[in-house]
Coordinates of all heavy atoms in Angstrom, one line a residue:
N22 N 95.2 107.9 95.3 CA 96.3 107.2 94.6 C 97.7 107.3 95.2 O 98.7 107.0 94.6 CB 96.4 107.8 93.1 CG 95.1 107.5 92.4 OD1 94.6 106.4 92.4 ND2 94.6 108.5 91.7
G23 N 97.7 107.8 96.5 CA 98.9 107.8 97.3 C 99.4 106.4 97.6 O 98.6 105.4 97.5
I24 N 100.7 106.3 97.9 CA 101.3 105.0 98.1 C 101.6 104.7 99.6 O 102.0 105.6 100.3 CB 102.6 104.9 97.3 CG1 102.3 105.0 95.8 CG2 103.4 103.6 97.6 CD1 103.5 105.3 95.0
I25 N 101.2 103.5 100.0 CA 101.6 103.1 101.3 C 102.5 101.9 101.3 O 102.4 101.0 100.4 CB 100.3 102.7 102.2 CG1 100.6 102.5 103.6 CG2 99.6 101.5 101.6 CD1 99.5 102.7 104.6
L26 N 103.6 101.9 102.1 CA 104.6 100.9 102.1 C 104.8 100.4 103.5 O 104.9 101.2 104.4 CB 105.9 101.5 101.6 CG 107.0 100.5 101.5 CD1 107.5 100.4 100.0 CD2 108.2 100.9 102.4
F27 N 104.7 99.1 103.7 CA 104.9 98.4 105.0 C 106.0 97.4 104.8 O 106.2 96.8 103.8 CB 103.7 97.6 105.4 CG 102.6 98.4 106.0 CD1 101.5 98.9 105.3 CD2 102.6 98.7 107.4 CE1 100.5 99.6 105.9 CE2 101.6 99.4 108.0 CZ 100.6 99.9 107.3
T28 N 106.8 97.3 105.9 CA 107.7 96.2 106.1 C 107.4 95.5 107.4 O 107.0 96.2 108.3 CB 109.2 96.6 106.0 OG1 109.5 97.3 107.2 CG2 109.5 97.3 104.7
T29 N 107.6 94.2 107.5 CA 107.3 93.4 108.7 C 107.9 92.1 108.6 O 108.3 91.6 107.4 CB 105.7 93.3 108.8 OG1 105.5 92.7 110.1 CG2 105.1 92.5 107.7
P30 N 108.2 91.4 109.7 CA 108.7 90.0 109.6 C 107.7 89.1 108.7 O 106.5 89.3 108.8 CB 108.8 89.6 111.0 CG 108.9 90.8 111.8 CD 108.1 91.8 111.1
N31 N 108.3 88.2 108.1 CA 107.5 87.3 107.2 C 107.4 85.9 107.9 O 108.4 85.2 108.1 CB 108.3 87.1 105.9 CG 107.5 86.2 104.9 OD1 106.4 85.9 105.0 ND2 108.2 85.8 103.9
E32 N 106.1 85.6 108.2 CA 105.8 84.3 108.8 C 106.8 84.0 110.0 O 107.3 82.9 110.1 CB 105.8 83.2 107.8 CG 104.8 83.4 106.7 CD 104.7 82.3 105.7 OE1 105.1 81.1 106.0 OE2 104.1 82.5 104.6
E33 N 106.9 84.9 110.9 CA 107.9 84.8 112.0 C 107.4 83.7 112.9 O 106.3 83.5 113.2 CB 107.9 86.1 112.7 CG 108.7 86.2 114.0 CD 108.6 87.4 114.8 OE1 107.6 88.2 114.6 OE2 109.5 87.7 115.5
D34 N 108.4 82.9 113.4 CA 108.1 82.0 114.5 C 108.3 82.7 115.8 O 109.4 82.9 116.3 CB 109.2 80.8 114.4 CG 109.0 79.8 115.5 OD1 108.1 80.0 116.4 OD2 109.7 78.7 115.4
M35 N 107.1 83.1 116.3 CA 107.1 83.9 117.6 C 107.8 83.2 118.7 O 108.3 83.9 119.6 CB 105.7 84.3 117.9 CG 105.0 85.2 116.8 SD 105.3 86.9 117.0 CE 104.1 87.4 118.1
S36 N 107.7 81.9 118.8 CA 108.2 81.2 119.9 C 109.7 81.3 120.1 O 110.3 81.2 121.2 CB 107.9 79.7 119.8 OG 108.5 79.1 118.7
I37 N 110.4 81.6 119.0 CA 111.9 81.8 119.1 C 112.3 83.0 119.9 O 113.3 82.9 120.6 CB 112.5 82.0 117.6 CG1 112.4 80.7 116.9 CG2 113.9 82.4 117.7 CD1 112.7 80.8 115.4
N38 N 111.4 84.0 120.0 CA 111.8 85.2 120.7 C 110.9 85.4 122.0 O 110.8 86.5 122.5 CB 111.6 86.4 119.8 CG 112.8 86.6 118.9 OD1 114.0 86.7 119.4 ND2 112.6 86.5 117.6
E39 N 110.3 84.3 122.5 CA 109.5 84.3 123.7 C 110.5 84.4 124.9 O 111.5 83.7 125.0 CB 108.6 83.1 123.9 CG 107.4 83.2 123.1 CD 106.5 81.9 123.3 OE1 107.0 81.0 123.9 OE2 105.4 82.0 122.8
V40 N 110.1 85.3 125.8 CA 110.9 85.4 127.1 C 109.8 85.5 128.2 O 108.7 85.8 128.0 CB 111.8 86.7 127.1 CG1 112.9 86.6 126.1 CG2 111.0 88.0 126.9
C41 N 110.3 85.2 129.4 CA 109.4 85.2 130.6 C 109.9 86.2 131.6 O 111.1 86.3 131.9 CB 109.5 83.8 131.2 SG 108.4 83.6 132.6
C42 N 109.0 87.0 132.0 CA 109.3 88.0 133.0 C 109.5 87.3 134.4 O 108.6 86.5 134.8 CB 108.1 89.0 133.2 SG 108.4 90.1 134.6
P43 N 110.7 87.5 135.0 CA 110.9 86.8 136.3 C 110.1 87.3 137.4 O 109.9 86.6 138.4 CB 112.4 87.1 136.5 CG 112.7 88.3 135.7 CD 111.8 88.3 134.6
E44 N 109.5 88.4 137.3 CA 108.7 89.0 138.4 C 107.2 88.4 138.4 O 106.7 88.1 139.4 CB 108.6 90.5 138.2 CG 109.9 91.2 138.4 CD 110.4 91.1 139.8 OE1 109.6 91.2 140.8 OE2 111.6 90.9 140.0
C45 N 106.6 88.4 137.2 CA 105.2 88.0 137.1 C 104.9 86.7 136.3 O 103.8 86.3 136.1 CB 104.4 89.1 136.5 SG 104.7 89.5 134.8
N46 N 106.0 86.2 135.7 CA 105.9 84.9 134.9 C 105.1 85.1 133.6 O 104.7 84.1 133.1 CB 105.4 83.8 135.7 CG 106.3 83.3 136.8 OD1 107.5 83.3 136.6 ND2 105.8 83.0 138.0
T47 N 104.9 86.3 133.2 CA 104.3 86.6 131.9 C 105.2 86.3 130.8 O 106.4 86.7 130.8 CB 103.8 88.0 131.8 OG1 102.9 88.3 132.9 CG2 103.1 88.3 130.5
I48 N 104.7 85.5 129.8 CA 105.5 85.2 128.6 C 105.1 86.3 127.5 O 104.0 86.5 127.3 CB 105.2 83.8 128.1 CG1 105.7 82.8 129.1 CG2 105.9 83.6 126.8 CD1 105.4 81.4 128.8
F49 N 106.2 86.9 126.9 CA 106.0 87.9 125.9 C 107.1 87.8 124.9 O 108.1 87.1 125.1 CB 105.9 89.3 126.5 CG 107.1 89.7 127.3 CD1 108.1 90.4 126.6 CD2 107.3 89.3 128.6 CE1 109.3 90.8 127.3 CE2 108.4 89.7 129.3 CZ 109.4 90.4 128.6
H50 N 106.9 88.5 123.7 CA 107.8 88.5 122.7 C 108.9 89.5 123.0 O 108.6 90.6 123.4 CB 107.1 88.9 121.3 CG 108.0 88.7 120.1 ND1 108.9 89.7 119.7 CD2 108.1 87.7 119.2 CE1 109.5 89.3 118.6 NE2 109.1 88.1 118.3
R51 N 110.1 89.1 122.9 CA 111.3 89.9 123.2 C 111.3 91.3 122.6 O 111.7 92.3 123.2 CB 112.6 89.1 122.8 CG 113.8 89.9 122.7 CD 115.0 89.0 122.2 NE 115.0 87.6 122.6 CZ 115.5 87.1 123.7 NH1 116.0 87.9 124.6 NH2 115.4 85.8 124.0
H52 N 110.7 91.4 121.4 CA 110.7 92.7 120.6 C 109.3 93.3 120.6 O 109.1 94.3 119.9 CB 111.2 92.5 119.2 CG 112.6 91.9 119.1 ND1 113.7 92.5 119.6 CD2 112.9 90.7 118.7 CE1 114.7 91.7 119.4 NE2 114.3 90.6 118.9
G53 N 108.4 92.7 121.3 CA 107.0 93.3 121.4 C 106.1 93.0 120.3 O 105.1 93.6 120.1
H54 N 106.5 92.0 119.5 CA 105.6 91.6 118.4 C 104.3 90.9 118.9 O 104.4 90.0 119.8 CB 106.3 90.7 117.4 CG 107.5 91.3 116.7 ND1 108.3 90.6 115.9 CD2 108.0 92.5 116.8 CE1 109.3 91.4 115.4 NE2 109.1 92.6 116.0
V55 N 103.2 91.2 118.4 CA 101.9 90.7 118.8 C 101.2 90.0 117.7 O 100.1 89.4 117.9 CB 101.0 91.7 119.5 CG1 101.7 92.2 120.8 CG2 100.6 92.8 118.6
R56 N 101.7 90.1 116.5 CA 101.0 89.5 115.3 C 102.0 89.0 114.3 O 103.1 89.5 114.2 CB 100.0 90.4 114.7 CG 100.6 91.7 114.2 CD 99.5 92.7 113.6 NE 98.6 93.1 114.5 CZ 97.3 92.8 114.5 NH1 96.8 92.1 113.5 NH2 96.5 93.2 115.4
I57 N 101.6 88.0 113.5 CA 102.4 87.4 112.5 C 101.8 87.6 111.1 O 100.5 87.5 111.0 CB 102.5 85.8 112.7 CG1 103.1 85.5 114.1 CG2 103.3 85.2 111.6 CD1 102.9 84.1 114.5
F58 N 102.6 87.9 110.1 CA 102.1 88.1 108.8 C 102.7 87.2 107.8 O 103.9 86.9 107.9 CB 102.3 89.6 108.3 CG 101.4 90.6 109.0 CD1 101.9 91.4 110.0 CD2 100.1 90.7 108.6 CE1 101.1 92.3 110.6 CE2 99.3 91.7 109.2 CZ 99.8 92.4 110.2
S59 N 101.9 86.8 106.8 CA 102.4 86.1 105.6 C 102.0 87.1 104.5 O 101.3 88.1 104.7 CB 101.7 84.8 105.4 OG 100.3 85.0 105.2
V60 N 102.4 86.8 103.3 CA 102.0 87.6 102.1 C 100.5 87.6 102.1 O 99.9 88.7 102.0 CB 102.6 87.0 100.8 CG1 101.9 87.7 99.6 CG2 104.1 87.2 100.7
D61 N 99.8 86.5 102.2 CA 98.3 86.5 102.1 C 97.7 87.2 103.2 O 96.7 88.0 102.9 CB 97.8 85.0 102.1 CG 98.2 84.3 100.8 OD1 98.5 84.9 99.8 OD2 98.2 83.0 100.8
S62 N 98.1 87.1 104.4 CA 97.4 87.7 105.5 C 97.6 89.3 105.5 O 96.7 90.0 105.8 CB 97.9 87.2 106.9 OG 99.2 87.5 107.1
L63 N 98.8 89.7 105.0 CA 99.0 91.2 104.9 C 98.2 91.7 103.8 O 97.6 92.8 103.9 CB 100.5 91.5 104.7 CG 100.9 92.9 104.7 CD1 100.4 93.7 106.0 CD2 102.4 93.1 104.6
V64 N 98.2 91.1 102.6 CA 97.4 91.5 101.5 C 95.9 91.6 101.9 O 95.2 92.5 101.7 CB 97.6 90.7 100.3 CG1 96.5 90.9 99.2 CG2 99.0 90.9 99.7
N65 N 95.4 90.5 102.6 CA 94.0 90.5 103.0 C 93.7 91.6 103.9 O 92.6 92.2 103.8 CB 93.7 89.1 103.6 CG 93.6 88.0 102.6 OD1 93.5 88.2 101.4 ND2 93.8 86.8 103.1
L66 N 94.5 91.8 104.9 CA 94.3 92.9 105.9 C 94.2 94.3 105.2 O 93.3 95.1 105.4 CB 95.4 93.0 106.9 CG 95.3 94.1 108.0 CD1 94.0 93.9 108.8 CD2 96.5 94.2 108.8

């Protein structure tokens, strides 16, 4: 009956924070986000 509390971005548009490494040309999220959540997807998970 313990409580778990999460916060996360809501339906984030990952493309807004995409950056490209000038050394290897890898595209990644500026803040290291690798997944997107909505209310439904977080509840389901």
Side-chain angles (χ1 to χ4, degrees):
N22 298 313
I24 296 166
I25 190 159
L26 182 120
F27 277 97
T28 67
T29 187
N31 183 15
E32 298 184 20
E33 176 184 22
D34 180 352
M35 298 274 274
S36 66
I37 291 172
N38 284 301
E39 282 182 348
V40 292
C41 182
C42 175
E44 297 291 321
C45 67
N46 293 322
T47 300
I48 296 174
F49 60 94
H50 189 277
R51 166 183 325 274
H52 305 294
H54 298 177
V55 296
R56 59 182 64 246
I57 300 168
F58 286 102
S59 64
V60 169
D61 290 340
S62 67
L63 186 54
V64 166
N65 289 339
L66 177 67

